[in-house]
Amino acid sequence: MSPLIVACRCILVLTIAALTAYALRHHLFVLSRLGQRKSRDMMELVGYVAPSVSVLVPMHNEENVAADVLQALVDCDYDWAKLEVIAIDDRSTDRTGEIIDEFAARYPVVKAVHRKEGQGGKPAALEFAGAQATGEILLLFDADYIPGRSMIKFLVTPFCDPEVGAVMGRVVPENGGASLLAGLLELERGAGYQIGQQARHTLGLTPQFGGTVGGVRASVLKAVGGWNTYSLTEDTDLTFRLLLHGWKVAYVNRAECYEEAPETWQVRSRQIRRWATGHTECLHDLWKSWLRAKTLTTAEKIDGLFVLACYWTAPILVLGWLASLVLFFLPQAHSSLAFVVALSFMGYQLFGNQATFLELGTAALLDGNPRVKMLPLSLFNFFGSTGAICRALLAFYLGGLFGPGNHHWHKTKRYRNGNGKNGANGHANGNGRKNGNATAARLLIRAPNGIYLCRQEANLT
Amino acid sequence: MRREYIYPHRSVRAFPVSRLRAAAAIVLAASLTAGVARFAGPLLDLHHRITSLTIKIAGIPAGETTAVRVFSYPGTVPAASVPIPRHGDNPWRAPVLFFATLAALTLVHRLVPLARSFILFLSVLLCAAGLVIIVHPMFAFDAATYQKIWLQGEFLVWLLLPWVSAFLFVLTLPAFFHGVAWMLAVQAYALFWSAVRLAFCLGVFHITGILYVPLLWFCLGVLFDLVYLLAFYALALGLALPRAVGRRRS
């Protein structure tokens, strides 16, 4: 047997093993989420007093959305005596600073912080503003997010468990109807939170703090060394440092917050490349201490490695596909049963990993999301993400060999035009976009209980 | 009062998989797999009949039926015999088709950003075939070899499919019997659709030669197995949503 055939088969075996492991994990999560019946004795609530909260909202050129998020936050039903909203104008060159100042003048609960110079990126802005925060709990929201009325209460509640160091809420795209990609990302986010995060929380694994729609204890953040201002995924970095120090991360599925998903592939590609680079960086930085940690269970360690290495599956997958392509053209390889078995498994695993789609479908079923009919089109998203991740990791590893690599923080593009009315009754903004046409399709409607509902959800009520 | 849904977004709280349902799913999957294995010969024969009929309807000249050996079990099965021209028979055909296809792919690549990685994937398959033709002009891929590879892959898919379907349909859909119906429908469709796709591939090869062999095998073969499975899954979930929403409103 030629060395080429042997090499190709080895790559195939590696690919199948890696992807099957991830597939089994997805199946476990789906079963866990479907059968979720968790009883609690609530004893941690005894003597619990709602803590003081600082909400940090970093904004870099966010004039389109700044008013929406700040209005939603001041409308929240958390006791103002224990609340401060720190709106961070992070070196903005547009009207963001003015909008923040207007809100600070109007609402005493809003504190305007202007950062005119210094290192770029969200972690640096958080590090800067965090020093001025007085709350026991620091909650974070990106500027394009719209928290519901009870959001702060939902996010603060898990901290009644003294072992919880950070908490994460659920991110729901509100612009799923804006483009095909946004719709597909709505399905993807549903799977990630409704199934993945919830199952990891229920199974006692490692739910991830996502850097927005979440919070961390101020004292704990300080104890683990603060924000890593050099990381492209400071949220992943913080999650793993918290867990390494023995803290738990909690996930609250009902703490639902609305975001703008990328509407064009260019924006999405840039976003996923940043995530892939930052995540892989964390893997390199933390895997040794993660495996040696005494505070973690074996299941947590395994799941943590799955999370950290998740972006490696893309290049592994491409390698496996290239190996099967080479074998396809070698007639002497066709006679072997192993080749056919490998190719068949590749068929299932390579082009989609149906377990991922099972997660997407199950999440849509639980949420009652009619966009589930778009599920087969997710293959395009899958192919696109695979390509983008491979590109990012290639740059990451080649950058590591030949230089410092790509460490630019790219801000995700916003589509909404803000007026403090959370997508409703808008006017044309500087870019000429109007609420009432493209934006109208994704109006948020405020229900009598103060919760923002997407149009589709509101129609159900 | 206990709520079925999670406030505020009204997600259904859970669809617990009962042990009975899990056991039924396993029994169903095992029975279907055993059925496919037991009746492999007749199933592959039926597959061949559908392929041959489709080829005949399409007006593609087919020779006498040949036999290919899929696995040691079920042994040799009938296969359609369709002539596939070699590159040497018409040296201009492959370059013209290659550049025309590449131009079309480039156009789609520019127009549809979301499909760019997929187009890249197709381009690599096309270029790989082009490279093989340049390096080894007499390279041949006859219909029997193609059908052998196709049937080996598809037969294994048919064996695996019940287990995947059991998870996708029987375990996760709210209505058990709907799940069973979908599972059986997917299994039947897998056989029928595989035969039609194979006939299409053979027809294309008969007209164009071997340039599209890898492209069609990777796309219409393994990838399409996933596509129709996802299409069925999406349809089943879409139809199941009102039932789930009913629970959500309760």
Side-chain angles (χ1 to χ4, degrees), chain A residues 300-378:
Chain A
E300 281 176 309
K301 285 182 185 179
I302 292 171
D303 186 56
L305 286 180
F306 270 111
V307 173
L308 286 175
C310 68
Y311 288 101
W312 273 4
T313 54
I316 288 175
L317 201 136
V318 170
L319 273 178
W321 166 64
L322 288 174
S324 61
L325 183 60
V326 171
L327 287 176
F328 186 82
F329 281 108
L330 297 175
Q332 61 269 42
H334 292 175
S335 56
S336 159
L337 174 66
F339 164 72
V340 180
V341 174
L343 279 185
S344 299
F345 271 99
M346 287 298 290
Y348 270 78
Q349 302 288 10
L350 174 63
F351 300 112
N353 194 342
Q354 53 83 23
T356 311
F357 296 101
L358 174 67
E359 268 193 13
L360 292 173
T362 309
L365 182 70
L366 290 167
D367 283 340
N369 188 347
R371 279 191 229 286
V372 70
K373 287 168 193 152
M374 294 161 61
L375 194 65
L377 296 174
S378 292

Side-chain angles (χ1 to χ4, degrees), chain A residues 27 33-34 194 253-254 256 321 334 337 340 348 351 357-358 361 365-368 375 379 383 453 457, chain B residues 7-16 71 117 121 149 152 157 161 167 172 223 226 230 233 237 248:
Chain A
H27 280 100
R33 178 61 189 89
L34 281 174
Q194 178 71 276
N253 199 33
R254 67 186 64 185
E256 182 174 307
W321 166 64
H334 292 175
L337 174 66
V340 180
Y348 270 78
F351 300 112
F357 296 101
L358 174 67
L365 182 70
L366 290 167
D367 283 340
L375 194 65
L379 276 169
F383 270 102
L453 302 171
E457 201 175 29
Chain B
Y7 172 85
H9 51 65
R10 277 173 300 289
S11 295
V12 176
R13 195 175 279 278
F15 279 134
F71 293 121
S117 289
F121 161 73
I149 295 174
Q152 284 175 334
V157 167
L161 198 56
F167 225 107
T172 55
L223 181 57
L226 185 69
L230 288 181
Y233 185 45
L237 285 174
R248 197 173 286 109

Side-chain angles (χ1 to χ4, degrees), chain B residues 6-164:
Chain B
I6 299 172
Y7 172 85
H9 51 65
R10 277 173 300 289
S11 295
V12 176
R13 195 175 279 278
F15 279 134
V17 179
S18 68
R19 286 181 186 174
L20 190 65
R21 186 185 277 224
I26 291 170
V27 168
L28 269 168
S31 306
L32 262 179
T33 305
V36 170
R38 170 71 182 79
F39 298 104
L43 285 174
L44 287 166
D45 191 50
L46 176 64
H47 186 273
H48 164 65
R49 282 166 193 265
I50 299 170
T51 306
S52 298
L53 183 65
T54 314
I55 287 173
K56 195 176 166 187
I57 291 170
I60 296 160
E64 285 185 12
T65 299
T66 56
V68 293
R69 187 179 170 81
V70 180
F71 293 121
S72 52
Y73 175 83
T76 53
V77 296
S81 176
V82 175
I84 298 178
R86 290 181 180 225
H87 172 61
D89 300 343
N90 184 350
W92 287 104
R93 180 175 45 214
V96 168
L97 286 172
F98 177 83
F99 286 110
T101 312
L102 208 58
L105 289 174
T106 308
L107 188 68
V108 178
H109 185 275
R110 287 191 66 84
L111 294 178
V112 189
L114 183 60
R116 277 180 187 164
S117 289
F118 182 63
I119 296 297
L120 187 66
F121 161 73
L122 297 183
S123 305
V124 171
L125 291 172
L126 187 71
C127 290
L131 192 69
V132 168
I133 290 172
I134 291 169
V135 173
H136 190 12
M138 294 315 288
F139 183 83
F141 218 99
D142 61 34
T145 308
Y146 189 81
Q147 285 176 88
K148 180 186 169 182
I149 295 174
W150 183 282
L151 290 175
Q152 284 175 334
E154 288 298 314
F155 185 63
L156 286 167
V157 167
W158 300 343
L159 289 172
L160 276 173
L161 198 56
W163 298 94
V164 178

Side-chain angles (χ1 to χ4, degrees), chain A residues 213-257:
Chain A
V213 197
V216 58
R217 280 182 204 278
S219 57
V220 171
L221 180 65
K222 199 174 171 186
V224 301
W227 302 103
N228 181 352
T229 55
Y230 294 98
S231 175
L232 287 177
T233 48
E234 82 295 341
D235 41 7
T236 308
D237 181 85
L238 181 63
T239 302
F240 281 80
R241 277 189 291 130
L242 287 171
L243 292 164
L244 281 169
H245 282 79
W247 293 94
K248 289 198 290 197
V249 177
Y251 171 68
V252 190
N253 199 33
R254 67 186 64 185
E256 182 174 307
C257 193

